[in-house]
């Protein structure tokens, strides 16, 4: 189908961004834990919080860099103890995702954040899985789970986590790498990623968020990842940008996160237009929506508002990229693309 993007007036763009079907490929489920749910779970589980109210907690969400965020993010996750808690967390996110017209979500989870506190791996994965299964049945959203290793911990701990996950192998489709990037290069996790690939798992990694472009190269060359999470610092290395474009390596970009963690000063300065101009397979995602001021639709709408260079054609490209870059089946991807074309056709006709 050829779409006449020029026939879509700019004032219709926010509505189109909200209603178009899209995939979310970079969402940490623990990062969707809203302050209200933190307080509800703390009460339910008898956990004492360091903040007296939801407002006081929210007021602490003023971050200066990735580490300042991670400290509060790991503290927030301490209220998650029972399978039901992981279910409620995931169910709340999936309802939000459906409201934002997300038709497919690939959800990161950090088992080590929970197993280190004595919560069994099984409790985490069963809660997540049951929410995903129910959402598929009742909300018609497709999901995949991706197990992330915490890069500030050792590779031995990552290997032990992967072994612990093996009885639940059919519940997740891939592995990822997150947490403090600086000083923890991808090559630290070469063996665990090799093992994951042997098991037929997909591989992704955070790289080039705060860390240098070399981390993107080593994520590709050593970990052999299929997507780069963030990757915005690739622009510092033009040869790397050419490689990412020619190999069509997807970047899961998270604009509101980047501003909240001071990777860019403002959304106006975000390099998403440059990434798209360079022909990269960039996507828009929410990262940790409860902490960064918005879910995927706020990321789309606020970024397009701040960057008038972004047009309806870019909106279409970003949604299309999200399907192309996903780990959905080819048949699913075809259905998603048809739904996207239909949304744009309807917008033009209206
Ligand atoms: N864990 C949750 N959000 C993250 C981010 N933006 N970078 C690295 N690790 C994370
Ligand atoms: Zn992330």
């Amino acid at each position: 189908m050829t779409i006449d993007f020029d026939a879509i007036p700019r004032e219709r763009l926010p509505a189109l961004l909200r209603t178009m079907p899209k995939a979310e490929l970079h969402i940490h489920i623990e990062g969707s834990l809203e302050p209200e749910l933190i307080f509800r779970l703390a009460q339910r589980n008898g956990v004492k919080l360091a903040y007296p109210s939801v407002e006081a907690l929210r007021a602490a969400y003023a971050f200066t860099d990735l580490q300042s965020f991670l400290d509060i993010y790991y503290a927030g996750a301490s209220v998650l103890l029972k399978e039901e808690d992981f279910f409620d967390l995931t169910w709340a996110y999936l309802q939000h995702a459906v409201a934002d017209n997300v038709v497919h979500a690939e959800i990161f989870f950090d088992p080590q954040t929970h197993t280190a506190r004595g919560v069994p791996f099984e409790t985490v994965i069963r809660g997540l899985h049951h929410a995903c299964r129910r959402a598929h049945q009742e909300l018609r959203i497709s999901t995949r789970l991706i197990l992330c290793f915490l890069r500030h911990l050792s590779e031995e701990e990552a290997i032990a986590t992967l072994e612990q996950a093996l009885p639940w192998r059919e519940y997740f489709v891939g592995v990822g790498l997150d947490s403090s990037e600086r000083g923890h290069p991808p090559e630290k996790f070469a063996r665990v990623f090799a093992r994951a690939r042997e098991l037929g798992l997909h591989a992704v990694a955070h790289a080039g968020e705060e860390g240098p472009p070399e981390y993107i190269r080593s994520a590709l060359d050593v970990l052999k990842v299929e997507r780069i999470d963030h990757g915005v610092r690739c622009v510092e290395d033009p040869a790397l940008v050419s490689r990412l474009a020619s190999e069509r390596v997807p970047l899961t970009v998270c604009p509101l996160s980047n501003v909240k963690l001071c990777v860019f000063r403002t959304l106006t300065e975000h390099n998403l237009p440059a990434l798209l101009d360079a022909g990269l397979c960039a996507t828009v995602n929410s990262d940790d929506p409860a902490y960064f001021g918005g879910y995927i639709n706020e990321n789309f709408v606020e970024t397009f508002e701040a960057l008038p260079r972004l047009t309806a054609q870019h909106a279409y490209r970003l949604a299309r990229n999200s399907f192309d870059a996903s780990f959905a089946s080819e048949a699913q991807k075809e259905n998603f693309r048809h739904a996207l074309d239909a949304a744009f056709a309807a917008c033009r006709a209206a």
Side-chain angles (χ1 to χ4, degrees):
M1 180 195 284
T2 48
I3 296 166
D4 182 4
F5 293 107
D6 294 335
I8 300 173
R10 188 150 189 102
E11 61 269 21
R12 301 212 51 175
L13 205 42
L16 182 59
L17 289 164
R18 290 183 187 279
T19 54
M20 68 180 185
K22 52 188 75 78
E24 169 131 88
L25 305 178
H26 186 160
I27 161 78
H28 301 263
I29 200 63
E30 296 87 353
S32 72
L33 183 53
E34 292 285 350
E36 290 77 8
L37 187 54
I38 292 182
F39 273 77
R40 192 147 60 79
L41 296 182
Q43 194 166 35
R44 188 159 94 186
N45 290 329
V47 175
K48 181 115 185 65
L49 292 172
Y51 297 90
S53 66
V54 163
E55 293 68 36
L57 177 58
R58 224 185 264 286
Y61 293 179
F63 312 116
T64 50
D65 60 5
L66 175 58
Q67 193 59 51
S68 66
F69 155 68
L70 290 171
D71 293 342
I72 209 156
Y73 160 84
Y74 294 130
S78 69
V79 299
L80 296 162
L81 293 175
K82 311 265 170 53
E83 184 178 323
E84 189 189 0
D85 306 336
F86 290 93
F87 177 94
D88 290 350
L89 169 69
T90 310
W91 183 249
Y93 163 69
L94 289 169
Q95 283 183 304
H96 222 121
V98 168
D100 280 359
N101 294 297
V102 171
V103 292
H104 176 83
E106 299 191 357
I107 301 174
F108 294 143
F109 68 109
D110 289 342
Q112 289 161 292
T113 300
H114 314 298
T115 53
R117 300 179 289 112
V119 176
F121 183 91
E122 178 178 355
T123 300
V124 180
I125 191 110
R126 283 171 66 92
L128 266 55
H129 175 77
H130 288 145
C132 289
R133 197 175 59 188
R134 180 164 158 201
H136 187 239
Q137 288 163 353
E138 294 182 16
L139 309 176
R140 310 306 318 158
I141 184 171
S142 156
T143 60
R144 302 285 187 275
L145 293 176
I146 297 178
L147 183 163
C148 286
F149 303 118
L150 297 182
R151 69 202 303 160
H152 67 274
L153 301 178
S154 70
E155 184 176 46
E156 286 65 35
E157 287 164 289
I159 291 170
T161 300
L162 183 58
E163 294 304 322
Q164 208 173 25
L166 288 187
W168 310 96
R169 165 68 185 84
E170 74 276 24
Y171 283 10
F172 59 100
V173 299
V175 295
L177 187 63
D178 63 5
S179 191
S180 323
E181 188 180 7
R182 286 201 194 104
H184 301 285
E187 50 270 33
K188 180 177 158 187
F189 296 91
R191 288 176 309 144
V192 72
F193 270 71
R195 172 88 179 112
R197 290 197 321 273
E198 265 169 27
L199 290 164
L201 288 159
H202 288 290
V204 300
H206 283 54
E209 177 186 19
E210 281 190 344
E214 294 76 61
Y215 283 19
I216 300 176
R217 286 184 185 282
S218 56
L220 294 172
D221 294 333
V222 181
L223 305 187
K224 309 209 186 306
V225 300
E226 297 153 79
R227 296 197 298 247
I228 297 289
D229 296 312
H230 294 293
V232 290
R233 285 194 59 191
C234 70
V235 295
E236 295 167 32
D237 181 342
L240 176 61
V241 172
S242 302
R243 175 182 175 185
L244 293 170
S246 68
E247 294 178 12
R248 212 167 150 67
V249 178
L251 302 186
T252 63
V253 177
C254 307
L256 289 178
S257 162
N258 291 154
V259 172
K260 284 284 190 279
L261 302 188
C262 308
V263 175
F264 295 95
R265 215 169 49 82
T266 62
L267 271 183
T268 324
E269 290 165 37
H270 200 283
N271 67 7
L272 182 64
L275 300 175
L276 290 168
D277 285 351
L280 299 185
C281 182
T283 62
V284 166
N285 306 271
S286 68
D287 206 8
D288 301 284
Y291 292 90
F292 299 150
Y295 286 73
I296 194 167
N297 277 359
E298 284 77 45
N299 272 273
F300 269 110
V301 171
E302 291 180 32
T303 304
F304 274 67
E305 202 171 75
L307 294 160
R309 269 183 63 205
L310 294 176
T311 64
Q313 193 158 7
H314 291 113
Y316 179 85
R317 181 37 55 206
L318 287 162
R320 199 48 215 218
N321 287 348
S322 75
F323 300 134
D324 294 348
S326 76
F327 298 138
S329 69
E330 274 312 313
Q332 277 186 301
K333 289 186 190 190
E334 265 314 290
N335 286 338
F336 297 150
R337 291 179 191 122
H338 279 126
L340 178 64
D341 285 355
F344 273 73
C347 182
R348 188 202 176 288

